[in-house]
Amino acid sequence: MKEPLVQVTDHGLFVPAADLYIDPWKPVDRAVITHAHADHARGGSGRYLSAQAGHDVLRVRLGSTARIDTLPWGERIRMGSAHLSLHPAGHILGAAQIRVEVGGEVWVVSGDYKLESDPTCRAFEPVPCHTFISECTFGLPIYRWPTPRAVFGDILTWWAGNAERGRTSILFGYSLGKAQRLLAGIHLELLDQGMEAPGPILVHGAVHRLLPPFHRAGVPLPDVLRANRESARASEGRALVVAPPSAGGTPWIRKFGQVSTGFASGWMRIRGHRRRRGGDRGFVLSDHVDWPGLLTAIRATGAERIGLTHGTTGPAVRFLREEGWDAWNVPTRFEGEAGSEAPDGSDSGEHETEGQEDA
Amino acid sequence: MKRFTTLFNALDSTTRTSEKIAALRAYFQDAPPADAAWALWVLSGERLRRSVSTRALREWVARRSHTPLWLVEECYDAVGDLAETLALLLPPPDDGKSMPGPEGAGVARAATHGEKETPPLHKVMEEWIAPLRSLTDQEREERLNRSWDRLRGQELLVFHKLLTGGFRVGVGKKLVTRALAETCGMDPAVLAHRMTGRWDPTAEAFLQITSPDADLPDPGRPYPFFLAHSLDGGPEELPGPPEDWLVEWKWDGIRGQLIHRRGETLIWSRGEELVTPAFPELAEAARVLPSGTVLDGEILAWGPGGPRPFADLQRRLGRKRVGARLRGEVPVIFLAYDLLEAEERDLREQPLQERRRRLSALLEAAGIGSDPAVEPASGVPLALSPPVTVHDWAIAHALRDTARTRGVEGLMIKARASTYGVGRRRGPWWKWKVDPLTLDAVLLYAQRGHGRRASLYTDYTFGVWADGELVPVGKAYSGLTDAEIREVDRWIRRNIVDRFGPVRAVEPELVFELAFDGIRESSRHRSGLALRFPRMARWRQDKPPEEADTLEAARALLRHSRGEP
Ligand SMILES: [Zn+2]
């Protein structure tokens, strides 16, 4: 059998033909980064390659000294004996799938992706390939996302209801990607419904510092205020505050008076997770692919071999095999049912876990 | 159904009692009585007899959703709640995403499905769910497919909850009673009384229950039980001298109400189940009491001179009929704690002291003495739960220490001036249980929990050492803090060594101190022992698994609890 184009090593996924690691877990000489979330973009490597659209957010994560090269969408470059190109994954701003071609054989590594519409990033593009390595965070048929518009409609109804009762609405979503998607989605939904916002929109500092790249990318964001004592007092009982989940249950939240809390994540599809988060409302909004989306994406690539990674891959692997694909599990650094570590979002425990991986 | 689903969502999306009450009030104000009756019935914990097997339900949902059965099981394992799993798996008729297809396909389908509203709750219960029982499996599947065609979104979850029976939404009987009482401007205690026992969820019954001046026509209706709080410190902390308190043994049986009214005798358990058929001799014994009498007491398996283990009583429970042989093997007795009604008059507002005085007089007049140890000899398995004389709390401590060898759970301490309330109220009545037995045991298997803890591994099986091997001794799922549960859950996920269905075998590394109320021999368990009410007292992070207890140590506890050396 031929040597696989992409191999699992103790540093992460490795492309021998290009001498390049994809989203490495440990420092390496050359890394290509699918997107700027913490569990994909780690510091310390010699040179980084990312999509042009993802440069600014990656820069915030890696700091000013990191060497970052960029590529426009779809442009092919040669590295060693491989041709490499990046394609939109629809996950967050600048999130890429990585296409590797060696001697006519094509592999695509999806990184994180979703098929739903998202005004903060380019939509997922299926890339024809022989082997597709797909994320599988939500690899069970119980995970099926509602249309984002329906979710934003629910969020507006919740916000308006809270404002009526004099409660500040605190909406938790990871500070890189999810938070901006929430802001843009709410903004567009208000415009669409011709509705006046029930109050001002405030954002946590961790969200605020990540807004400039989105502004520069032309993402339609509403006017927001940075949440502090003054803005909180001025808008108490009416405001919508977008904050990272790590801010929940900290003294930071006290400045808003009476609050109702909501959490936007794919895990909110399951009632047990909703209730365990302890918040008032769970909104099913994910930047990862759901089960029908996973099958759609796999079919669209035309791939015969499917590697699944991140999350509980076992059932999806078995299902795909029964359906005639050559499927296997691609181990990640987290063993076991690692996906389940995400819903709590409590593993890092830091205050400002900007860019902490969302689900 | 839409209205009830809205109520369900409102209850499910808040943890604040005030908001739950508000949602319930809004519902009861609007809902027609026929629906409100069912809502009240299911929310206070009643359930229809199961009309379809969960096995069949899984198969039909698998078929309808084009999901292999094994994958349905995987999903159930991840969700932890069957009703919810099935609701999540069923392809929604109206979101267009059930199968990948062109945009807009869903909209077209929604138009053909969207015109019919789901029928009201009482129709769903009476016409969709109740009739399933009498059908063949094939007919059931057809009926359910028609129901599934019409249910949307969250209605599916509510429907499956109603269908499978387990309706837990963070609302108990007490809260529903309170909300309904507020809605109709009634005294919650009166409402609680009217809702006690069996009633049919019909519009008529609902109107009768909620009508401010309705007569109570049902002679079989029990009173709501008054419950005691646990005393964590000692009785020294109680106000007043020991003389202000009535002390009794805390018997290890089932709490019951014995009713004799207008020629009928009935026995209700604390769970408000009618258990008369399981204890015919007690129902017969009640006839020696004057009509219009209601006793609160404990049903116990009783041998010569004293109580027998709870496990013996369990053989009698849940039976539709009890033959002479079982009656002979497991004789039972009713030990009376309290007199709730005499001469058809409700005595609950009188002080306990007075109720007890009348109880003694009543039993004496019926030819029943006050010593249960000799009483069954009179042929009537009915006696007073004898008071324990305590002039000094030090004596109470000494007596409590003898509880296990006496086969009782500890002491009950009740204020002599107390009225007979409703539910659990802090202050007048206390239960003071004997300190639990403990063993340090090793976590062997884990399974996911339910409700709020579905999707976390919270149900554990523990083992102790026997001949260099760990033998399971018991299961426990309570006692840890939420933070500990999450930590153990994470540890489990990283240390799974084997899978059997939903059960995960883990590396035998974590040690927990198990606390339990009793221990007995059991041929059903590999260890030969069964623990009563085991729970986790502590996570012994300081102990390596080799230092966990042995089966021999567990046997020593058994001998000791029997008073053997
Ligand atoms: Zn990501």
Side-chain angles (χ1 to χ4, degrees):
Chain A
M1 205 183 122
K2 273 192 298 184
E3 193 187 44
L5 292 199
V6 178
Q7 300 171 0
V8 181
T9 71
D10 63 349
H11 283 66
L13 292 179
F14 179 56
V15 186
D19 192 18
L20 176 78
Y21 286 86
I22 301 173
D23 294 349
W25 310 322
K26 299 177 185 171
V28 297
D29 288 344
R30 292 164 68 86
V32 57
I33 300 298
T34 60
H35 67 287
H37 275 149
D39 57 344
H40 293 261
R42 293 182 170 79
S45 288
R47 273 181 87 169
Y48 293 92
L49 178 64
S50 95
Q52 212 161 55
H55 171 271
D56 288 5
V57 281
L58 190 61
R59 177 63 70 194
V60 176
R61 163 153 309 286
L62 296 179
S64 57
T65 55
R67 271 186 78 184
I68 304 176
D69 304 318
T70 64
L71 261 184
W73 292 125
E75 189 175 304
R76 285 190 194 188
I77 53 164
R78 196 181 168 92
M79 293 179 85
S81 59
H83 286 280
L84 189 127
S85 58
L86 306 179
H87 304 266
H91 175 56
I92 60 167
L93 180 61
Q97 307 178 71
I98 293 161
R99 180 186 186 276
V100 179
E101 180 175 348
V102 178
E105 190 185 350
V106 179
W107 286 46
V108 170
V109 176
S110 74
D112 292 342
Y113 69 101
K114 69 172 176 290
L115 305 195
E116 280 72 24
S117 70
D118 177 348
T120 68
C121 60
R122 275 277 283 266
F124 174 86
E125 271 175 25
V127 181
C129 57
H130 301 103
T131 301
F132 184 47
I133 297 184
S134 170
E135 69 136 323
C136 187
T137 307
F138 293 102
L140 285 171
I142 46 176
Y143 295 109
R144 181 181 9 219
W145 309 146
T147 59
R149 280 211 53 183
V151 178
F152 288 116
D154 287 348
I155 292 175
L156 284 193
T157 309
W158 168 74
W159 180 13
N162 292 335
E164 221 164 86
R165 284 181 294 173
R167 284 208 183 111
T168 307
S169 306
I170 314 263
L171 185 53
F172 295 116
Y174 290 93
S175 44
L176 171 56
K178 181 64 66 65
Q180 292 77 18
R181 186 183 180 199
L182 288 170
L183 292 171
I186 289 165
H187 182 57
L188 295 175
E189 190 64 23
L190 281 167
L191 290 176
D192 248 31
Q193 294 194 14
M195 183 176 154
E196 186 134 349
I201 299 176
L202 274 52
V203 297
H204 186 276
V207 176
H208 196 262
R209 62 190 281 246
L210 281 158
L211 291 179
F214 287 81
H215 280 299
R216 284 199 290 277
V219 173
L221 293 172
D223 293 330
V224 300
L225 295 168
R226 196 184 159 130
N228 52 34
R229 205 170 301 274
E230 290 69 46
S231 60
R233 193 171 308 137
S235 62
E236 191 179 318
R238 297 180 293 127
L240 174 77
V241 186
V242 176
S246 50
T250 67
W252 180 83
I253 211 168
R254 285 196 208 124
K255 58 168 92 63
F256 301 103
Q258 286 258 59
V259 301
S260 175
T261 57
F263 186 51
S265 158
W267 298 108
M268 296 299 104
R269 173 91 167 141
I270 308 295
R271 192 165 157 248
H273 291 309
R274 278 202 303 276
R275 294 167 76 185
R276 202 145 48 74
R277 290 286 317 183
D280 299 310
R281 279 298 291 273
F283 297 103
V284 185
L285 189 77
S286 177
D287 291 326
H288 293 264
V289 68
D290 65 356
W291 176 266
L294 178 69
L295 300 184
T296 303
I298 287 171
R299 289 198 187 100
T301 62
E304 283 158 15
R305 305 193 65 224
I306 310 295
L308 294 176
T309 188
H310 282 103
T312 312
T313 55
V317 166
R318 178 173 167 190
F319 180 84
L320 290 176
R321 283 185 183 161
E322 288 182 2
E323 296 284 309
W325 273 281
D326 179 4
W328 80 103
N329 169 57
V330 180
T332 52
R333 207 177 61 130
F334 304 102
E335 292 302 325
E337 297 171 52
S340 55
E341 300 194 352
D344 283 323
S346 56
D347 293 294
S348 80
E350 300 154 351
H351 266 230
E352 297 225 334
T353 48
E354 84 284 352
Q356 178 180 3
E357 177 56 299
D358 149 43
Chain B
M1 189 68 172
K2 204 173 153 191
R3 195 194 319 262
F4 186 66
T5 304
T6 307
L7 171 64
F8 178 91
N9 288 339
L11 295 174
D12 198 36
S13 63
T14 181
T15 48
R16 297 186 179 94
T17 303
S18 60
E19 287 181 4
K20 287 186 177 174
I21 297 255
L24 287 162
R25 285 183 65 161
Y27 178 83
F28 285 123
Q29 252 147 25
D30 286 358
D35 281 353
W38 279 104
L40 179 62
W41 198 73
V42 295
L43 289 172
S44 54
E46 299 290 333
R47 51 173 67 185
L48 283 175
R49 283 182 64 195
R50 182 154 285 189
S51 48
V52 287
S53 74
T54 55
R55 162 122 219 113
L57 259 182
R58 288 176 220 204
E59 278 169 20
W60 302 335
V61 168
R63 187 148 40 224
R64 188 178 167 92
S65 63
H66 306 288
T67 312
L69 196 55
W70 66 262
L71 190 49
V72 174
E73 299 298 334
E74 290 280 357
C75 291
Y76 179 31
D77 188 32
V79 176
D81 179 297
L82 185 65
E84 185 184 356
T85 308
L86 301 181
L88 291 173
L89 278 171
L90 285 169
D94 53 359
D95 83 347
K97 277 190 68 184
S98 49
M99 269 292 125
E103 285 287 316
V107 179
R109 250 178 302 166
T112 54
H113 277 272
E115 67 249 23
K116 278 197 211 160
E117 275 252 315
T118 326
L121 177 64
H122 75 277
K123 291 226 163 170
V124 169
M125 297 302 291
E126 291 160 21
E127 292 172 18
W128 284 16
I129 296 180
L132 292 173
R133 270 188 71 76
S134 54
L135 301 178
T136 65
D137 262 354
Q138 198 191 338
E139 292 165 330
R140 286 176 183 153
E141 187 180 2
E142 282 169 21
R143 288 279 196 114
L144 282 172
N145 270 301
R146 263 182 279 156
S147 301
W148 287 328
D149 279 340
R150 292 184 57 186
L151 293 160
R152 270 164 273 161
Q154 191 83 342
E155 285 179 351
L156 269 173
L157 170 63
V158 174
F159 176 72
H160 288 148
K161 290 256 162 208
L162 295 168
L163 187 65
T164 55
F167 211 96
R168 272 178 291 182
V169 63
V171 169
K173 193 165 188 166
K174 198 169 161 187
L175 198 70
V176 189
T177 310
R178 201 174 122 195
L180 184 57
E182 282 180 22
T183 314
C184 0
M186 285 173 65
D187 178 354
V190 172
L191 193 65
H193 185 199
R194 291 186 188 175
M195 281 169 54
T196 310
R198 186 171 296 167
W199 58 279
D200 289 323
T202 61
E204 296 74 51
F206 182 79
L207 291 172
Q208 209 153 48
I209 285 172
T210 54
S211 156
D213 46 22
D215 209 18
L216 287 178
D218 180 1
R221 195 181 298 280
Y223 294 99
F225 283 83
F226 190 36
L227 307 173
H229 253 280
S230 284
L231 187 62
D232 295 327
E236 300 77 17
E237 297 164 13
L238 298 175
E243 288 72 32
D244 289 356
W245 300 86
L246 171 74
V247 180
E248 294 171 89
W249 296 113
K250 180 169 178 3
W251 301 102
D252 187 12
I254 59 165
R255 185 94 177 270
Q257 243 176 73
L258 191 58
I259 297 180
H260 183 202
R261 285 185 193 132
R262 298 179 218 172
E264 236 199 307
T265 59
L266 293 170
I267 306 163
W268 292 92
S269 72
R270 210 196 91 183
E272 287 167 22
E273 300 274 338
L274 206 47
V275 293
T276 323
F279 306 108
E281 64 269 59
L282 300 184
E284 193 51 41
R287 296 193 180 279
V288 308
L289 304 169
S291 184
T293 302
V294 177
L295 304 183
D296 176 9
E298 191 94 2
I299 300 166
L300 291 163
W302 198 262
R308 295 191 7 192
F310 187 79
D312 287 2
L313 184 66
Q314 266 174 327
R315 295 178 57 199
R316 298 280 300 259
L317 287 173
R319 299 228 172 208
K320 289 268 169 297
R321 192 174 300 134
V322 172
R325 192 164 142 218
L326 188 56
R327 279 176 64 165
E329 282 173 15
V330 185
V332 293
I333 189 172
F334 185 92
L335 295 184
Y337 292 132
D338 215 323
L339 181 64
L340 308 186
E341 179 180 313
E343 296 165 1
E344 296 186 355
R345 270 192 51 221
D346 181 350
L347 302 182
R348 293 177 299 158
E349 285 305 310
Q350 300 203 3
L352 172 63
Q353 176 87 334
E354 172 61 12
R355 297 198 306 273
R356 284 288 291 212
R357 192 189 62 73
R358 294 187 63 163
L359 175 63
S360 298
L362 184 100
L363 292 178
E364 208 167 307
I368 295 164
S370 60
D371 187 350
V374 297
E375 214 35 60
S378 76
V380 181
L382 187 58
L384 185 74
S385 166
V388 177
T389 312
V390 171
H391 297 299
D392 185 332
W393 288 130
I395 295 171
H397 278 274
L399 286 170
R400 173 172 167 270
D401 290 341
T402 67
R404 202 162 266 122
T405 51
R406 290 172 189 263
V408 299
E409 290 187 296
L411 292 170
M412 294 296 303
I413 304 177
K414 302 173 180 172
R416 289 186 187 272
S418 61
T419 59
Y420 192 94
V422 171
R424 207 181 294 280
R425 216 175 66 210
R426 218 178 157 76
W429 286 19
W430 299 95
K431 55 183 178 190
W432 191 31
K433 287 215 223 178
V434 70
D435 290 331
L437 301 166
T438 62
L439 278 175
D440 289 334
V442 182
L443 176 64
L444 296 179
Y445 306 104
Q447 227 178 316
R448 291 182 196 256
H450 292 280
R452 198 171 68 89
R453 314 200 300 182
S455 77
L456 282 176
Y457 286 101
T458 58
D459 296 8
Y460 310 134
T461 302
F462 296 95
V464 290
W465 294 104
D467 302 323
E469 206 194 335
L470 284 162
V471 186
V473 280
K475 291 172 186 258
Y477 47 87
S478 65
L480 297 184
T481 64
D482 281 359
E484 284 173 329
I485 289 172
R486 278 200 298 274
E487 199 178 335
V488 175
D489 174 75
R490 275 198 292 273
W491 182 90
I492 288 168
R493 287 169 199 282
R494 287 194 298 269
N495 289 278
I496 291 170
V497 293
D498 210 348
R499 295 159 186 251
F500 321 92
V503 179
R504 303 283 178 268
V506 298
E507 295 285 352
E509 275 179 26
L510 303 191
V511 180
F512 293 83
E513 180 181 315
L514 291 188
F516 43 96
D517 289 353
I519 184 168
R520 65 182 172 83
E521 277 177 301
S522 163
S523 52
R524 293 223 314 263
H525 297 80
R526 191 147 76 90
S527 62
L529 297 171
L531 309 183
R532 182 117 198 262
F533 295 140
R535 62 262 178 195
M536 287 162 275
R538 260 191 308 162
W539 182 0
R540 296 295 306 259
Q541 287 175 288
D542 55 319
K543 265 202 175 181
E546 306 79 56
E547 287 175 26
D549 273 314
T550 61
L551 192 57
E552 190 36 47
R555 293 200 172 285
L557 285 179
L558 173 70
R559 285 194 301 274
H560 182 74
S561 68
R562 285 169 169 167
E564 295 166 14

